[in-house]
Amino acid sequence: MSPEQNYPAVRFVVQYGLWLAVVAGLAPLFVAAVALLSGWGGGAALVLALSAPLLFLVMKAFAELVAIISDMLLPK
């Protein structure tokens, strides 16, 4: 059995890490737009909009760490 079959989640994060980070970064912006349109107020939308870049960076760092760890520790 190949290492890729043993760790499908790791392979998924390594392969699609950038897209996961982009989606995670855009999700708060979408929720902020919904919050504004549904009348939650500007404060909630502002907090959500400001959290989008932070969430993108956290997810991108996570994907890069998984890639580094999989390169170093998983057998090829």
Side-chain angles (χ1 to χ4, degrees):
M1 186 182 278
S2 69
E4 291 84 18
Q5 293 172 346
N6 290 336
Y7 304 101
V10 171
R11 191 179 77 181
F12 182 82
V13 171
V14 168
Q15 188 172 1
Y16 299 110
L18 177 61
W19 289 108
L20 290 171
V22 168
V23 169
L26 290 176
L29 294 177
F30 175 72
V31 175
V34 171
L36 275 177
L37 294 175
S38 65
W40 284 4
L46 181 64
V47 168
L48 287 165
L50 291 177
S51 69
L54 178 64
L55 189 57
F56 170 77
L57 288 175
V58 168
M59 287 301 296
K60 179 114 173 73
F62 172 73
E64 290 176 359
L65 283 172
V66 169
I68 291 169
I69 291 169
S70 71
D71 283 344
M72 291 175 46
L73 298 179
L74 292 181
K76 304 247 183 213

